[in-house]
Amino acid sequence: MSDQTVEEKRRALIELRLRRAKPEPATAAEALTRVSRDGRLPLSFQQEGLWFLHQLNPGSTVYTIPFAWRLRGSLDVEALERALTTVVGRHEALRTRFDSADGRPFQVIDPPPKRFALPVVDLGERPDAVAEYVQAEADRPFDLVAGGLFRAGLIRLGDRDHVLTMAVHHIIADGWSIGILTRELAALYDGATLPALAIQPVDVAAWQRTSPRQGEQLAYWRERLDGLPELELPADRPRPATRTWSGASLQADIDAELGGAAADLARAEGVSFLAVLQAAFLVVLARYTGQEDLAVGSVFGGRTRSEVEPLVGYFASTLVLRTSLAGDPDFRALAGRCHDTVLGASAHQDVPFSLVVDALKPERDPSRNPLFQVSFSFQPAGWSTGQFVLGGVPAEPLPGTTSQSRFDVAVAVSQLPDRRLRVSVEYSTELFDQSRMRRLVEHLELVLRQAVGDPGRRLSEFRLLSDEQALRMVEDWNPVPAPVADGSLLRDLILEQIGSRPEAPAVRFGDSEISYGELGRRACRLAWVLRREWGVDAESVVGIRLERGIDLIVAQLAVTFAGGAWLPLDPSHPVERLRYQVEDAGAVTVITESDLLASGTDDGPPPVRTRPDNLAYLIYTSGSTGRPKGVLVTHRNVTDFVVSARELFGLTPADRVLQFANPTFDVSVFDTFATLASGALLVCAPREHLHDPEQLTALMARER
């Protein structure tokens, strides 16, 4: 569908909405009918998945759904109790508990209560204590066997000031259910009579296990999610071996102007609002991770049958929205891809997530959610369960908090009536700090703002820094660059120290030590050998295959003094890798131990034609993603770096620096050349010390 016109996309979206509003007539095999309540009643696949998770961690409240509303006005507590009694009586889910036999769960439906007792807690005129009380209620675990999986309470703050609290276990209700519950509560409080319910969730569970749709839709998900990669989101702490589900939440609003512009963009492009918001979120994730095959979880209503719409129960489907960002698409194209993903997922939402997981059989990891770690969902205006009215008294939703998180990160965007967007983030505190999550929300808003301003902007062109932040990073956080004279070469910095400090110690390795003067003489002699025998000059690459020590430093300086570029070769690396590097770099020769014994001249360094933009050294990547790749570094680059590092760390001739990094890793340039350009003493660590903390710390203490 990626090549669809805007009109075709709009038509597909309308057809999807019509199917939701008027589901196709069920065939005889798919008829939803009332089943006998005798015997052990089956769980739906969704419920079975939560039941299993509850067995692993029975004290967890991660699947508790808490709500609280402030009621400022006259409240008839008896009428509220009667309304609650009727609601619990008409919805079997609210009086269902879960038992098991022989390791198999079944549900038990208790009879309707004669009276739903609403506990009242008087906190006096202490609104500051409300949040603590509500959180304590949310953190009180449910017992699936004992029941009571729906509870409500009333906090009294004054004669005309109350807080209504509710908590329900996710195994008997979903977000849609809370909307049904509050609407019915408001109607019954006013004395309305509601029509009887033809079926209940247990009937849906029985139908679900015989529906022919399961196999057809499961095949779609097997193909869609084949080879799904893990999302590697940068974190503040290492992932623990086993999750404890510790979490926190935060909220932020996006202004009505931007929220409205984003909705207008969705209409103009003929895509759903979810597709536009998801595309913006994927831009953020792509910039965070560098990945272009991204999958996020999303919750769909799962109520594809009209008979299910008025029921309180757990019907929501968790779907995996996998979208490719390959080819550096512009935002318009990416929103189209997200639109296609949403349409495909919506048409195949009858398969519970647990069955998809069972079919794909991903490697189970107690530290991760299967198939996805980040979720993203959208609630359009009018869907929100947050507000209702009891006898003319508005019930104002209180901001929710959580101490649990089901996923690494769960982002939910709600469209408010005034066109603002409310972004709610639930996150794992085992992995993330609140500051990182606030930045995520800021980046989502920034990307959305750029997208509505220029839908043709490509993925690579999006910025995650505001103009103010970019200016702060460039101007405020960076020191004034250290001045480097035009035409300076790396060898000039070292020769300056050799000339001014010939007797000072330059390099120490074990019991051996060499002065700056001797270091210069040895390097110059070898430089002349390289010039005369191998023609080394500007842009000539010379391999150096030597163990750590003074000879290695001499060889690096000799290549630099001759005007060439050194190529570090680790003697411990496989011969095939070394041969490839030498051939790929076009090295004119390779320095080994025997080369350092050659006689040379003491006439100082050879004259060179090397300029600042000529090559100083060539270093190869690990090759973990394919063949190793050579990285070219010029004299201008390395000279600026060495001078800046010298200034930043305040290196002086009195300092002693450990040569620790592998010479094939460019951090070694700091160890070696920033030290020698400062006239300091370079202490080389033997290879065997690097893997022995005791030997290494002893060396550092001994050499001060």
Side-chain angles (χ1 to χ4, degrees):
M1 291 177 62
S2 57
D3 295 327
Q4 285 181 318
T5 65
V6 170
E7 190 58 39
E8 288 171 331
K9 289 180 179 178
R10 185 177 288 115
R11 188 180 303 115
L13 187 59
I14 292 172
E15 289 174 355
L16 174 63
R17 288 172 177 163
L18 288 174
R19 285 200 303 273
R20 289 177 179 169
K22 295 182 179 180
E24 296 175 3
T27 64
E30 293 180 307
L32 244 173
T33 57
R34 191 173 177 84
V35 300
S36 170
R37 298 306 192 257
D38 296 332
R40 293 171 178 171
L41 301 173
L43 279 64
S44 69
F45 290 117
Q46 290 97 321
Q47 289 176 318
E48 200 170 69
L50 283 194
W51 180 87
F52 176 75
L53 292 173
H54 184 81
Q55 308 313 302
L56 297 177
N57 193 1
S60 171
T61 58
V62 70
Y63 289 102
T64 296
I65 307 175
F67 288 93
W69 297 268
R70 189 77 174 265
L71 300 161
R72 302 174 193 266
S74 179
L75 182 67
D76 187 337
V77 177
E78 290 186 0
L80 181 56
E81 273 196 349
R82 286 194 300 270
L84 282 166
T85 301
T86 303
V87 167
V88 173
R90 67 188 259 104
H91 291 286
E92 290 181 351
L94 298 179
R95 43 191 170 87
T96 296
R97 51 193 171 88
F98 299 83
D99 209 337
S100 62
D102 301 323
R104 298 291 300 174
F106 58 90
Q107 53 181 313
V108 178
I109 302 170
D110 290 331
K114 294 181 178 179
R115 171 175 174 264
F116 184 91
L118 182 68
V120 180
V121 176
D122 195 331
L123 294 181
E125 297 182 2
R126 295 173 51 215
D128 57 308
V130 170
E132 183 179 346
Y133 182 87
V134 171
Q135 186 64 57
E137 280 295 287
D139 289 340
R140 185 155 61 96
F142 286 107
D143 185 333
L144 297 192
V145 177
L149 304 184
F150 166 72
R151 57 179 180 245
L154 193 65
I155 301 172
R156 186 180 184 277
L157 297 172
D159 291 340
R160 296 174 59 83
D161 194 359
H162 297 80
V163 173
L164 175 63
T165 67
M166 291 184 191
V168 61
H169 196 287
H170 198 8
I171 200 170
I172 63 166
D174 51 23
W176 183 298
S177 300
I178 306 304
I180 295 170
L181 196 155
T182 53
R183 286 193 297 273
E184 291 193 358
L185 194 63
L188 292 166
Y189 182 91
D190 290 338
T193 300
L194 300 177
L197 298 170
I199 61 168
Q200 294 282 349
V202 68
D203 304 310
V204 181
W207 164 83
Q208 186 188 63
R209 292 178 176 274
T210 60
S211 172
R213 299 183 183 185
Q214 303 288 345
E216 300 168 6
Q217 297 197 10
L218 203 53
Y220 168 86
W221 289 111
R222 281 198 187 97
E223 180 180 353
R224 180 70 183 169
L225 302 181
D226 181 49
L228 187 70
E230 285 186 351
L231 183 69
E232 297 296 340
L233 199 61
D236 296 297
R237 285 169 290 281
R239 183 179 295 275
T242 302
R243 287 193 61 180
T244 65
W245 311 103
S246 299
S249 61
L250 60 88
Q251 278 189 350
D253 286 358
I254 293 176
D255 63 72
E257 182 181 359
L258 178 56
D264 293 341
L265 175 62
R267 279 191 293 272
E269 295 300 322
V271 299
S272 67
F273 200 0
L274 169 59
V276 167
L277 296 173
Q278 185 196 351
F281 186 58
L282 292 184
V283 171
V284 175
L285 294 185
R287 299 302 293 272
Y288 282 3
T289 65
Q291 297 172 246
E292 58 181 26
D293 184 359
L294 298 177
V296 297
S298 192
V299 177
F300 282 55
R303 298 173 187 248
T304 57
R305 300 291 298 269
S306 57
E307 307 98 306
V308 180
E309 291 185 359
L311 302 183
V312 169
Y314 176 27
F315 304 106
S317 296
T318 300
L319 307 179
V320 183
L321 304 181
R322 182 182 188 180
T323 308
S324 170
L325 282 70
D328 195 23
D330 61 30
F331 188 82
R332 183 178 285 112
L334 179 56
R337 294 183 190 181
C338 291
H339 175 79
D340 297 346
T341 299
V342 170
L343 286 180
S346 183
H348 298 85
Q349 62 176 297
D350 290 325
V351 180
F353 181 70
S354 58
L355 291 190
V356 176
V357 173
D358 290 343
L360 292 172
K361 293 181 173 54
E363 184 178 346
R364 293 303 183 114
D365 182 346
S367 72
R368 296 176 185 269
N369 192 64
L371 301 184
F372 69 92
Q373 290 78 51
V374 175
S375 75
F376 184 83
S377 58
F378 170 62
Q379 297 177 359
W383 189 91
S384 174
T385 62
Q387 293 180 322
F388 60 101
V389 178
L390 285 181
V393 178
E396 305 166 6
L398 298 181
T401 60
T402 183
S403 59
Q404 305 269 291
S405 178
R406 282 176 260 174
F407 309 113
D408 290 359
V409 180
V411 177
V413 181
S414 303
Q415 188 180 29
L416 303 182
D418 62 1
R419 303 192 88 186
R420 284 181 301 142
L421 298 176
R422 177 154 295 160
V423 184
S424 302
V425 182
E426 183 182 285
Y427 61 95
S428 167
T429 51
E430 295 175 316
L431 298 174
F432 305 107
D433 291 334
Q434 186 184 75
S435 58
R436 184 180 290 272
M437 293 297 100
R438 289 202 179 280
R439 285 197 301 275
L440 184 148
V441 176
E442 292 170 1
H443 291 156
L444 176 61
E445 179 177 356
L446 184 62
V447 167
L448 197 59
R449 197 171 297 280
Q450 294 171 75
V452 299
D454 178 15
R457 185 188 296 259
R458 293 195 172 276
L459 172 64
S460 59
E461 296 171 342
F462 279 90
R463 296 181 294 106
L464 294 189
L465 293 176
S466 66
D467 292 339
E468 180 184 352
Q469 290 171 327
L471 186 63
R472 186 183 307 129
M473 289 186 67
V474 173
E475 299 292 339
D476 298 345
W477 292 355
N478 279 321
V480 176
V484 178
D486 290 341
S488 291
L489 301 178
L490 181 58
R491 78 176 206 160
D492 298 334
L493 303 179
I494 311 300
L495 288 170
E496 181 182 345
Q497 295 297 328
I498 290 172
S500 62
R501 303 176 50 77
E503 304 303 322
V507 184
R508 180 177 297 162
F509 180 67
D511 296 330
S512 301
E513 184 177 280
I514 187 172
S515 67
Y516 271 91
E518 182 59 23
L519 178 66
R521 284 188 289 275
R522 291 181 58 181
C524 286
R525 284 198 294 268
L526 182 56
W528 277 108
V529 172
L530 294 172
R531 169 64 58 80
R532 290 168 176 162
E533 296 188 14
W534 298 99
V536 173
D537 202 344
E539 297 294 317
S540 299
V541 176
V542 177
I544 301 177
R545 184 180 181 275
L546 293 171
E547 289 289 351
R548 292 165 171 272
I550 294 174
D551 285 352
L552 173 62
I553 308 301
V554 169
Q556 287 179 306
L557 288 181
V559 176
T560 301
F561 287 179
W566 79 88
L567 166 66
L569 302 169
D570 191 329
S572 69
H573 284 177
V575 173
E576 293 78 8
R577 174 185 169 89
L578 299 180
R579 183 181 293 114
Y580 168 76
Q581 289 175 277
V582 170
E583 293 175 354
D584 185 64
V588 297
T589 188
V590 177
I591 298 176
T592 63
E593 297 284 354
S594 59
D595 297 299
L596 297 181
L597 302 178
S599 58
T601 179
D602 289 329
D603 293 340
V608 297
R609 295 177 297 171
T610 307
R611 295 293 177 262
D613 289 327
N614 287 134
L615 194 60
Y617 68 92
L618 174 62
I619 205 161
Y620 275 78
T621 63
S622 65
S624 58
T625 59
R627 283 200 161 193
K629 300 175 182 63
V631 180
L632 310 176
V633 182
T634 67
H635 279 272
R636 188 186 306 280
N637 296 147
V638 74
T639 304
D640 285 353
F641 168 72
V642 166
V643 173
S644 298
R646 183 175 64 185
E647 299 297 324
L648 178 64
F649 290 97
L651 292 176
T652 71
D655 287 310
R656 308 156 78 88
V657 179
L658 182 69
Q659 203 293 296
F660 176 84
N662 191 307
T664 62
F665 183 37
D666 55 5
V667 172
S668 66
V669 175
F670 166 78
D671 292 354
T672 301
F673 291 96
T675 301
L676 296 178
S678 305
L681 173 62
L682 182 67
V683 178
C684 298
R687 183 187 293 271
E688 59 270 17
H689 282 30
L690 303 180
H691 305 289
D692 186 330
E694 291 186 1
Q695 288 195 71
L696 187 60
T697 52
L699 171 67
M700 294 169 68
R702 183 171 63 253
E703 298 292 348
R704 302 188 305 283

